[in-house]
Amino acid sequence: MASSSQAPNRLDYLDAARALALLLGIFFHASLSFMPMFIGWAVMDISTSNIVAIFVMINHSFRMELFFLIAGFFSHMTLQKKGMKAFISSRLIRIGLPLVVGWFLLRPMLVSGWVMGAESMRGDVNVLNGLSQGIASFKELPNGFLIGTHLWFLYYLLLIPALVLVVCSMVSLNDKVKHTLSASMDHVVTWLCRSSFAPFLVMLPIASCLWFMSHWGMDTPDKSLIPNWPVLFIYTGFFSFGWLMNRQRQPLADFATITWGKVFLCLLASILSVLLTNYQSQLGHPDYLLLKIGFTLSYALMMWTLVSLFIGLCFRFFNRLNHTMRYLADASYWLYLIHLPIVIWLQIAFAEVDIHWAFKLLSICMITVMLSLILYELFVRSTVIGAVLNGRKKSRVLISALKSSA
């Protein structure tokens, strides 16, 4: 393998972290039909497991926070390299365009998945009826723009950088304020990345936001263009933290350092979160408020330590050029955009099949990733779509490898 010095323009371990975070999203959505209780998902499988519920809760606690932290880091890097005008243009093209086009292309398939999922639980699936209802859902516009899709993350990827830029612009109006505040923030970020006490301090504002969620844990803000304020605060916090860490690279290395103390805190917080979540529906419990406080604190601590440890693991294993991981990093944006209708349709196909949930879950994930990669190789990577998603067209890899082997 080549060393990281051979690829000076890319931080391979952060590319890997971003790619794996998006792949975790595919596993997350694929798991939802195997939850042991009905959660309002498109379909509920006949084979379920409490293990899936634990995986879903832990996965959902840090995956998008990790993604927004990395997005903030790379956003600041792009702004410094290309300037404000090019940065805004790239955000509109690479995020705004996929949000609008992706919504119109994916919504009929996603709505049809919910229609067919409901039909499958009654023992009768009509694909044509599902698709027709999916197309008919366009009549609801402009209502329900984000509802029924996973593309809310693109909306927040537009909204949060805009908020950060507004704050930065306001601070820049006064040079003295800018210098003082910048120096102070650099010291705060450095301390947060180095201090072993930082997780306990950070978990307080995170837990405060979690308190106002509609359920125990992180809400999914896919119901309206009006921001979900607690979610917005948390994602903006992680985005800003990544943004500020890019100003000085050493804090990121300190933040991602793996220590036994951090591992212990992560395990303890995860176990407490899993145990306490069982009390979520027990509104009449005499200690309900104390239990919720305990959950929000442990969940916040789990969130922070998992983000840190995940980046640390990626640094340890992917801090060098790895062609497979780089290809996945390039493809991951496309994979996440396209995966949800494929996942839901496969969940419906497997729902009534009498085999173990683990086999079905693994099959759904493998088929989804393989099919998405084939589509990426044939129709995205070397086309204008690839230029929009990845910044430029790239040569096909899998097809070239097959031709050379033949």
Side-chain angles (χ1 to χ4, degrees):
M1 285 188 183
S3 66
S4 58
S5 61
Q6 291 175 282
N9 295 323
R10 294 186 68 161
L11 296 173
D12 288 288
Y13 73 99
L14 286 184
D15 275 344
R18 179 171 54 187
L20 293 174
L22 293 174
L23 288 174
L24 275 176
I26 298 177
F27 277 81
F28 172 79
H29 289 128
S31 301
L32 296 180
S33 63
F34 304 102
M35 291 284 284
M37 74 292 291
F38 183 68
I39 58 172
W41 189 243
V43 64
M44 185 173 182
D45 203 276
I46 61 172
S47 177
T48 62
S49 173
N50 288 320
I51 296 175
V52 173
I54 295 173
F55 167 77
V56 165
M57 188 197 73
I58 294 176
N59 183 320
H60 194 55
S61 72
F62 81 100
R63 173 176 50 86
M64 293 308 298
E65 290 78 9
L66 168 68
F67 177 79
F68 276 97
L69 184 149
I70 297 173
F73 187 93
F74 283 121
S75 292
H76 185 269
M77 181 186 295
T78 302
L79 178 64
Q80 294 301 305
K81 286 183 177 180
K82 299 184 178 181
M84 180 70 75
K85 185 177 179 179
F87 174 76
I88 294 175
S89 176
S90 70
R91 297 305 90 184
L92 293 176
I93 293 173
R94 298 184 64 183
I95 299 174
L97 191 59
L99 171 60
V100 176
V101 175
W103 187 87
F104 278 99
L105 293 178
L106 296 179
R107 182 173 173 83
M109 292 184 287
L110 289 168
V111 172
S112 68
W114 252 260
V115 172
M116 291 187 295
E119 292 175 343
S120 73
M121 288 188 280
R122 298 192 300 267
D124 182 26
V125 176
N126 188 321
V127 176
L128 292 178
N129 176 60
L131 288 173
S132 66
Q133 290 195 44
I135 295 172
S137 68
F138 285 129
K139 297 178 181 178
E140 301 172 4
L141 284 175
N143 296 324
F145 180 69
L146 291 182
I147 295 176
T149 77
H150 57 306
L151 302 182
W152 62 265
F153 83 102
L154 295 177
Y155 176 61
Y156 279 71
L157 271 180
L158 291 173
L159 181 61
I160 292 173
L163 294 174
V164 172
L165 287 177
V166 168
V167 172
C168 290
S169 298
M170 293 174 63
V171 170
S172 298
L173 293 176
N174 187 301
D175 289 337
K176 184 177 180 180
V177 172
K178 177 183 177 181
H179 176 75
T180 302
L181 188 59
S182 296
S184 299
M185 293 306 298
D186 287 343
H187 286 304
V188 170
V189 169
T190 300
W191 182 84
L192 287 175
C193 292
R194 292 180 178 176
S195 174
S196 57
F197 183 73
F200 300 102
L201 181 64
V202 171
M203 74 179 185
L204 295 176
I206 296 176
S208 298
C209 292
L210 290 169
W211 183 267
F212 296 100
M213 301 288 176
S214 62
H215 69 288
W216 288 22
M218 280 293 294
D219 284 345
T220 300
D222 60 351
K223 303 298 187 293
S224 171
L225 289 174
I226 299 173
N228 180 313
W229 297 109
V231 171
L232 180 65
F233 288 146
I234 289 178
Y235 289 154
T236 301
F238 277 91
F239 183 93
S240 301
F241 189 57
W243 178 283
L244 292 168
M245 280 198 290
N246 183 252
R247 288 166 49 88
Q248 39 174 346
R249 296 294 180 84
Q250 185 57 38
L252 179 60
D254 294 331
F255 176 70
T257 301
I258 299 175
T259 65
W260 285 112
K262 194 180 294 183
V263 172
F264 173 77
L265 285 178
C266 183
L267 290 174
L268 178 63
S270 300
I271 293 171
L272 286 174
S273 298
V274 170
L275 294 175
L276 291 172
T277 193
N278 295 317
Y279 295 96
Q280 179 176 186
S281 59
Q282 299 183 27
L283 299 177
H285 195 286
D287 297 319
Y288 182 82
L289 291 180
L290 289 176
L291 292 168
K292 184 176 180 180
I293 291 172
F295 174 83
T296 57
L297 290 172
S298 61
Y299 191 96
L301 184 60
M302 174 175 64
M303 178 190 296
W304 181 263
T305 53
L306 278 174
V307 170
S308 173
L309 291 172
F310 196 91
I311 296 176
L313 288 172
C314 288
F315 182 83
R316 177 164 296 186
F317 293 106
F318 299 112
N319 190 30
R320 60 187 62 85
L321 176 59
N322 180 304
H323 292 290
T324 300
M325 184 53 69
R326 179 164 288 192
Y327 184 87
L328 285 175
D330 292 336
S332 60
Y333 188 13
W334 163 258
L335 262 63
Y336 195 75
L337 289 176
I338 197 67
H339 82 278
L340 192 55
I342 302 174
V343 164
I344 293 175
W345 281 47
L346 288 172
Q347 287 173 329
I348 294 169
F350 278 100
E352 301 298 320
V353 180
D354 190 18
I355 53 179
H356 195 272
W357 65 268
F359 179 81
K360 290 195 274 189
L361 174 57
L362 184 61
S363 299
I364 291 171
C365 292
M366 290 180 62
I367 294 171
T368 299
V369 171
M370 290 175 62
L371 180 57
S372 299
L373 284 176
I374 291 172
L375 293 173
Y376 173 74
E377 183 76 7
L378 293 176
F379 304 112
V380 177
R381 185 173 172 85
S382 61
T383 69
V384 66
I385 303 174
V388 169
L389 299 182
N390 296 326
R392 62 184 177 88
K393 298 179 183 179
K394 301 188 178 185
S395 59
R396 291 171 175 169
V397 174
L398 298 181
I399 293 177
S400 300
L402 290 174
K403 288 181 178 179
S404 62
S405 63

